[in-house]
mmCIF file of all heavy atoms in Angstrom:
data_model
loop_
_atom_site.group_PDB
_atom_site.id
_atom_site.type_symbol
_atom_site.label_atom_id
_atom_site.label_comp_id
_atom_site.label_asym_id
_atom_site.label_seq_id
_atom_site.Cartn_x
_atom_site.Cartn_y
_atom_site.Cartn_z
ATOM 1 N N GLY H 74 -41.331 38.732 -146.217
ATOM 2 C CA GLY H 74 -41.227 39.734 -145.115
ATOM 3 C C GLY H 74 -41.271 41.043 -145.651
ATOM 4 O O GLY H 74 -42.513 41.690 -145.859
ATOM 5 N N PRO H 75 -40.236 41.769 -145.919
ATOM 6 C CA PRO H 75 -40.316 43.170 -146.295
ATOM 7 C C PRO H 75 -41.150 43.423 -147.625
ATOM 8 O O PRO H 75 -41.918 44.311 -147.636
ATOM 9 C CB PRO H 75 -38.741 43.615 -146.472
ATOM 10 C CG PRO H 75 -38.133 42.658 -145.514
ATOM 11 C CD PRO H 75 -38.915 41.431 -145.626
ATOM 12 N N ALA H 76 -40.725 42.681 -148.704
ATOM 13 C CA ALA H 76 -41.269 43.119 -150.016
ATOM 14 C C ALA H 76 -42.797 42.950 -150.028
ATOM 15 O O ALA H 76 -43.626 43.791 -150.436
ATOM 16 C CB ALA H 76 -40.693 42.248 -151.144
ATOM 17 N N LEU H 77 -43.333 41.791 -149.524
ATOM 18 C CA LEU H 77 -44.821 41.586 -149.458
ATOM 19 C C LEU H 77 -45.524 42.583 -148.617
ATOM 20 O O LEU H 77 -46.627 43.137 -148.922
ATOM 21 C CB LEU H 77 -45.127 40.110 -149.159
ATOM 22 C CG LEU H 77 -46.623 39.778 -149.000
ATOM 23 C CD1 LEU H 77 -47.360 40.069 -150.347
ATOM 24 C CD2 LEU H 77 -46.730 38.334 -148.576
ATOM 25 N N THR H 78 -44.831 42.841 -147.435
ATOM 26 C CA THR H 78 -45.540 43.791 -146.554
ATOM 27 C C THR H 78 -45.560 45.222 -147.104
ATOM 28 O O THR H 78 -46.593 45.870 -146.915
ATOM 29 C CB THR H 78 -44.773 43.753 -145.140
ATOM 30 O OG1 THR H 78 -44.577 42.439 -144.708
ATOM 31 C CG2 THR H 78 -45.378 44.648 -144.113
ATOM 32 N N ILE H 79 -44.601 45.558 -147.742
ATOM 33 C CA ILE H 79 -44.646 46.891 -148.495
ATOM 34 C C ILE H 79 -45.639 46.848 -149.543
ATOM 35 O O ILE H 79 -46.458 47.851 -149.783
ATOM 36 C CB ILE H 79 -43.222 47.214 -148.988
ATOM 37 C CG1 ILE H 79 -42.311 47.452 -147.882
ATOM 38 C CG2 ILE H 79 -43.391 48.491 -149.935
ATOM 39 C CD1 ILE H 79 -40.717 47.594 -148.377
ATOM 40 N N GLN H 80 -45.847 45.727 -150.272
ATOM 41 C CA GLN H 80 -46.780 45.656 -151.335
ATOM 42 C C GLN H 80 -48.173 45.696 -150.775
ATOM 43 O O GLN H 80 -49.125 46.288 -151.326
ATOM 44 C CB GLN H 80 -46.654 44.267 -152.000
ATOM 45 C CG GLN H 80 -47.572 43.987 -153.181
ATOM 46 C CD GLN H 80 -47.353 42.777 -153.932
ATOM 47 O OE1 GLN H 80 -46.338 42.698 -154.814
ATOM 48 N NE2 GLN H 80 -48.009 41.734 -153.562
ATOM 49 N N LEU H 81 -48.445 45.248 -149.574
ATOM 50 C CA LEU H 81 -49.692 45.335 -148.876
ATOM 51 C C LEU H 81 -50.040 46.619 -148.239
ATOM 52 O O LEU H 81 -51.179 47.135 -148.302
ATOM 53 C CB LEU H 81 -49.800 44.214 -147.827
ATOM 54 C CG LEU H 81 -49.833 42.804 -148.256
ATOM 55 C CD1 LEU H 81 -49.796 41.828 -146.987
ATOM 56 C CD2 LEU H 81 -51.048 42.431 -149.098
ATOM 57 N N PHE H 82 -49.092 47.336 -147.719
ATOM 58 C CA PHE H 82 -49.331 48.578 -147.013
ATOM 59 C C PHE H 82 -48.603 49.772 -147.424
ATOM 60 O O PHE H 82 -48.851 50.844 -146.971
ATOM 61 C CB PHE H 82 -48.850 48.338 -145.545
ATOM 62 C CG PHE H 82 -49.625 47.240 -144.726
ATOM 63 C CD1 PHE H 82 -49.177 45.978 -144.669
ATOM 64 C CD2 PHE H 82 -50.938 47.525 -144.151
ATOM 65 C CE1 PHE H 82 -49.823 44.886 -144.037
ATOM 66 C CE2 PHE H 82 -51.689 46.569 -143.650
ATOM 67 C CZ PHE H 82 -51.189 45.282 -143.466
ATOM 68 N N GLY H 83 -47.722 49.730 -148.476
ATOM 69 C CA GLY H 83 -46.931 50.803 -148.913
ATOM 70 C C GLY H 83 -47.621 51.724 -149.864
ATOM 71 O O GLY H 83 -48.678 51.337 -150.569
ATOM 72 N N THR H 84 -47.033 52.967 -150.035
ATOM 73 C CA THR H 84 -47.581 53.914 -151.145
ATOM 74 C C THR H 84 -46.994 53.444 -152.432
ATOM 75 O O THR H 84 -46.156 52.517 -152.511
ATOM 76 C CB THR H 84 -47.084 55.223 -150.908
ATOM 77 O OG1 THR H 84 -45.677 55.301 -150.890
ATOM 78 C CG2 THR H 84 -47.530 55.722 -149.388
ATOM 79 N N LYS H 85 -47.493 53.998 -153.527
ATOM 80 C CA LYS H 85 -47.038 53.633 -154.908
ATOM 81 C C LYS H 85 -45.551 53.937 -154.959
ATOM 82 O O LYS H 85 -44.768 53.130 -155.516
ATOM 83 C CB LYS H 85 -47.817 54.392 -155.867
ATOM 84 C CG LYS H 85 -47.342 54.192 -157.366
ATOM 85 C CD LYS H 85 -48.202 54.921 -158.356
ATOM 86 C CE LYS H 85 -47.899 54.710 -159.748
ATOM 87 N NZ LYS H 85 -46.608 55.235 -160.022
ATOM 88 N N GLN H 87 -43.283 53.931 -152.479
ATOM 89 C CA GLN H 87 -42.613 52.943 -151.659
ATOM 90 C C GLN H 87 -42.462 51.669 -152.429
ATOM 91 O O GLN H 87 -41.389 50.999 -152.365
ATOM 92 C CB GLN H 87 -43.270 52.847 -150.269
ATOM 93 C CG GLN H 87 -43.146 54.097 -149.354
ATOM 94 C CD GLN H 87 -43.830 53.922 -148.096
ATOM 95 O OE1 GLN H 87 -44.931 53.233 -148.024
ATOM 96 N NE2 GLN H 87 -43.378 54.578 -147.032
ATOM 97 N N LYS H 88 -43.604 51.273 -152.998
ATOM 98 C CA LYS H 88 -43.478 49.960 -153.667
ATOM 99 C C LYS H 88 -42.484 50.012 -154.851
ATOM 100 O O LYS H 88 -41.824 49.058 -155.030
ATOM 101 C CB LYS H 88 -44.960 49.670 -154.276
ATOM 102 C CG LYS H 88 -45.993 49.303 -153.200
ATOM 103 C CD LYS H 88 -47.322 49.235 -153.887
ATOM 104 C CE LYS H 88 -48.467 49.059 -152.812
ATOM 105 N NZ LYS H 88 -49.796 48.894 -153.462
ATOM 106 N N ILE H 92 -39.525 47.477 -153.453
ATOM 107 C CA ILE H 92 -39.695 46.107 -153.744
ATOM 108 C C ILE H 92 -38.848 45.487 -154.705
ATOM 109 O O ILE H 92 -38.265 44.438 -154.579
ATOM 110 C CB ILE H 92 -41.209 45.780 -154.054
ATOM 111 C CG1 ILE H 92 -42.158 46.246 -152.922
ATOM 112 C CG2 ILE H 92 -41.501 44.413 -154.542
ATOM 113 C CD1 ILE H 92 -43.624 46.162 -153.267
ATOM 114 N N LEU H 148 -37.787 46.386 -142.329
ATOM 115 C CA LEU H 148 -38.964 46.931 -141.517
ATOM 116 C C LEU H 148 -38.581 46.993 -140.052
ATOM 117 O O LEU H 148 -38.197 46.030 -139.396
ATOM 118 C CB LEU H 148 -40.131 45.915 -141.564
ATOM 119 C CG LEU H 148 -40.585 45.623 -143.011
ATOM 120 C CD1 LEU H 148 -41.833 44.600 -142.994
ATOM 121 C CD2 LEU H 148 -40.972 46.868 -143.825
ATOM 122 N N TYR H 150 -39.897 48.268 -136.306
ATOM 123 C CA TYR H 150 -41.133 48.489 -135.588
ATOM 124 C C TYR H 150 -40.712 49.211 -134.264
ATOM 125 O O TYR H 150 -39.804 48.727 -133.543
ATOM 126 C CB TYR H 150 -41.910 47.215 -135.172
ATOM 127 C CG TYR H 150 -42.469 46.562 -136.486
ATOM 128 C CD1 TYR H 150 -41.696 45.564 -137.115
ATOM 129 C CD2 TYR H 150 -43.733 46.907 -136.965
ATOM 130 C CE1 TYR H 150 -42.207 44.858 -138.307
ATOM 131 C CE2 TYR H 150 -44.173 46.259 -138.173
ATOM 132 C CZ TYR H 150 -43.551 45.363 -138.665
ATOM 133 O OH TYR H 150 -44.008 44.710 -139.807
ATOM 134 N N CYS H 164 -44.387 51.349 -138.137
ATOM 135 C CA CYS H 164 -43.426 50.643 -138.920
ATOM 136 C C CYS H 164 -42.687 51.542 -139.796
ATOM 137 O O CYS H 164 -43.230 52.506 -140.525
ATOM 138 C CB CYS H 164 -44.188 49.616 -139.753
ATOM 139 S SG CYS H 164 -43.033 48.638 -140.710
ATOM 140 N N LEU H 166 -39.178 52.186 -142.553
ATOM 141 C CA LEU H 166 -38.259 51.556 -143.501
ATOM 142 C C LEU H 166 -36.922 52.216 -143.266
ATOM 143 O O LEU H 166 -36.745 53.376 -143.528
ATOM 144 C CB LEU H 166 -38.783 51.839 -144.918
ATOM 145 C CG LEU H 166 -40.093 51.145 -145.368
ATOM 146 C CD1 LEU H 166 -40.855 51.794 -146.432
ATOM 147 C CD2 LEU H 166 -39.861 49.686 -145.568
ATOM 148 N N VAL H 206 -42.214 56.068 -143.376
ATOM 149 C CA VAL H 206 -43.184 55.418 -142.565
ATOM 150 C C VAL H 206 -44.150 54.484 -143.488
ATOM 151 O O VAL H 206 -44.512 55.057 -144.423
ATOM 152 C CB VAL H 206 -44.040 56.481 -141.800
ATOM 153 C CG1 VAL H 206 -45.225 55.757 -141.170
ATOM 154 C CG2 VAL H 206 -43.234 57.245 -140.799
ATOM 155 N N LEU H 207 -44.181 53.297 -143.104
ATOM 156 C CA LEU H 207 -45.060 52.312 -143.794
ATOM 157 C C LEU H 207 -46.449 52.333 -143.196
ATOM 158 O O LEU H 207 -46.560 52.121 -142.062
ATOM 159 C CB LEU H 207 -44.459 50.906 -143.730
ATOM 160 C CG LEU H 207 -45.155 49.816 -144.592
ATOM 161 C CD1 LEU H 207 -45.016 50.189 -146.156
ATOM 162 C CD2 LEU H 207 -44.580 48.437 -144.333
ATOM 163 N N GLY H 208 -47.475 52.628 -144.061
ATOM 164 C CA GLY H 208 -48.823 52.933 -143.543
ATOM 165 C C GLY H 208 -48.827 54.219 -142.834
ATOM 166 O O GLY H 208 -48.151 55.117 -143.245
ATOM 167 N N LYS H 209 -49.647 54.242 -141.799
ATOM 168 C CA LYS H 209 -49.690 55.482 -141.017
ATOM 169 C C LYS H 209 -49.147 55.274 -139.626
ATOM 170 O O LYS H 209 -49.092 54.150 -139.090
ATOM 171 C CB LYS H 209 -51.179 55.982 -140.826
ATOM 172 C CG LYS H 209 -51.933 56.210 -142.072
ATOM 173 C CD LYS H 209 -53.280 56.836 -141.944
ATOM 174 C CE LYS H 209 -54.250 55.959 -141.182
ATOM 175 N NZ LYS H 209 -54.616 54.716 -141.890
ATOM 176 N N ASP H 212 -50.181 52.427 -137.057
ATOM 177 C CA ASP H 212 -50.609 51.138 -137.876
ATOM 178 C C ASP H 212 -49.579 49.961 -137.692
ATOM 179 O O ASP H 212 -49.782 48.795 -138.182
ATOM 180 C CB ASP H 212 -50.669 51.382 -139.442
ATOM 181 C CG ASP H 212 -51.938 52.153 -139.857
ATOM 182 O OD1 ASP H 212 -52.782 52.425 -138.884
ATOM 183 O OD2 ASP H 212 -52.087 52.610 -140.966
ATOM 184 N N GLY H 213 -48.576 50.172 -136.901
ATOM 185 C CA GLY H 213 -47.466 49.153 -136.925
ATOM 186 C C GLY H 213 -47.827 47.805 -136.408
ATOM 187 O O GLY H 213 -47.355 46.793 -136.893
ATOM 188 N N PHE H 214 -48.697 47.792 -135.326
ATOM 189 C CA PHE H 214 -49.134 46.436 -134.793
ATOM 190 C C PHE H 214 -49.850 45.658 -135.765
ATOM 191 O O PHE H 214 -49.611 44.439 -135.990
ATOM 192 C CB PHE H 214 -49.991 46.707 -133.463
ATOM 193 C CG PHE H 214 -50.150 45.372 -132.764
ATOM 194 C CD1 PHE H 214 -49.195 44.787 -132.003
ATOM 195 C CD2 PHE H 214 -51.368 44.793 -132.926
ATOM 196 C CE1 PHE H 214 -49.471 43.685 -131.228
ATOM 197 C CE2 PHE H 214 -51.639 43.621 -132.271
ATOM 198 C CZ PHE H 214 -50.712 43.031 -131.384
ATOM 199 N N LYS H 215 -50.790 46.404 -136.434
ATOM 200 C CA LYS H 215 -51.515 45.586 -137.460
ATOM 201 C C LYS H 215 -50.667 45.123 -138.586
ATOM 202 O O LYS H 215 -50.797 44.038 -139.111
ATOM 203 C CB LYS H 215 -52.558 46.512 -138.030
ATOM 204 C CG LYS H 215 -53.379 46.000 -139.333
ATOM 205 C CD LYS H 215 -54.417 46.931 -139.778
ATOM 206 C CE LYS H 215 -53.627 48.142 -140.563
ATOM 207 N NZ LYS H 215 -54.629 49.114 -141.052
ATOM 208 N N ILE H 216 -49.743 45.882 -139.065
ATOM 209 C CA ILE H 216 -48.703 45.536 -140.064
ATOM 210 C C ILE H 216 -47.933 44.453 -139.602
ATOM 211 O O ILE H 216 -47.585 43.488 -140.313
ATOM 212 C CB ILE H 216 -47.881 46.763 -140.476
ATOM 213 C CG1 ILE H 216 -48.747 47.845 -141.228
ATOM 214 C CG2 ILE H 216 -46.673 46.322 -141.455
ATOM 215 C CD1 ILE H 216 -48.021 49.113 -141.432
ATOM 216 N N CYS H 217 -47.479 44.459 -138.384
ATOM 217 C CA CYS H 217 -46.534 43.523 -137.783
ATOM 218 C C CYS H 217 -47.240 42.030 -137.699
ATOM 219 O O CYS H 217 -46.674 41.070 -138.081
ATOM 220 C CB CYS H 217 -46.125 43.869 -136.336
ATOM 221 S SG CYS H 217 -44.874 42.749 -135.591
ATOM 222 N N MET H 218 -48.433 42.116 -137.186
ATOM 223 C CA MET H 218 -49.275 40.820 -137.130
ATOM 224 C C MET H 218 -49.570 40.232 -138.495
ATOM 225 O O MET H 218 -49.448 39.005 -138.698
ATOM 226 C CB MET H 218 -50.538 41.147 -136.468
ATOM 227 C CG MET H 218 -50.463 41.457 -134.950
ATOM 228 S SD MET H 218 -49.461 40.193 -134.006
ATOM 229 C CE MET H 218 -47.885 41.112 -133.712
ATOM 230 N N THR H 219 -49.751 41.082 -139.463
ATOM 231 C CA THR H 219 -49.981 40.519 -140.921
ATOM 232 C C THR H 219 -48.758 39.926 -141.371
ATOM 233 O O THR H 219 -48.741 38.932 -142.017
ATOM 234 C CB THR H 219 -50.559 41.730 -141.802
ATOM 235 O OG1 THR H 219 -51.724 42.244 -141.319
ATOM 236 C CG2 THR H 219 -50.702 41.309 -143.236
ATOM 237 N N GLN H 220 -47.669 40.845 -141.208
ATOM 238 C CA GLN H 220 -46.280 40.213 -141.611
ATOM 239 C C GLN H 220 -46.058 38.795 -141.002
ATOM 240 O O GLN H 220 -45.549 38.031 -141.727
ATOM 241 C CB GLN H 220 -45.266 41.301 -141.351
ATOM 242 C CG GLN H 220 -43.857 40.847 -141.805
ATOM 243 C CD GLN H 220 -42.869 40.999 -140.700
ATOM 244 O OE1 GLN H 220 -42.656 42.214 -140.309
ATOM 245 N NE2 GLN H 220 -42.298 39.857 -140.158
ATOM 246 N N LEU H 221 -46.146 38.811 -139.776
ATOM 247 C CA LEU H 221 -45.796 37.596 -138.978
ATOM 248 C C LEU H 221 -46.729 36.384 -139.410
ATOM 249 O O LEU H 221 -46.187 35.292 -139.545
ATOM 250 C CB LEU H 221 -45.964 37.777 -137.468
ATOM 251 C CG LEU H 221 -44.819 38.606 -136.733
ATOM 252 C CD1 LEU H 221 -45.104 38.767 -135.387
ATOM 253 C CD2 LEU H 221 -43.478 37.865 -136.925
ATOM 254 N N ASN H 223 -47.725 35.901 -142.282
ATOM 255 C CA ASN H 223 -47.152 35.481 -143.582
ATOM 256 C C ASN H 223 -45.729 34.851 -143.456
ATOM 257 O O ASN H 223 -45.588 33.706 -143.939
ATOM 258 C CB ASN H 223 -47.014 36.689 -144.523
ATOM 259 C CG ASN H 223 -48.454 37.187 -144.999
ATOM 260 O OD1 ASN H 223 -49.379 36.328 -145.140
ATOM 261 N ND2 ASN H 223 -48.598 38.369 -145.254
#
Side-chain angles (χ1 to χ4, degrees):
L77 178 57
T78 307
I79 294 169
Q80 183 171 281
L81 292 172
F82 295 99
T84 63
K85 181 176 183 291
Q87 288 173 335
K88 293 175 185 178
I92 296 176
L148 308 178
Y150 295 91
C164 182
L166 297 159
V206 172
L207 187 63
K209 300 190 298 294
D212 282 351
F214 187 81
K215 174 182 70 177
I216 294 172
C217 184
M218 293 301 106
T219 301
Q220 178 230 296
L221 285 175
N223 288 330

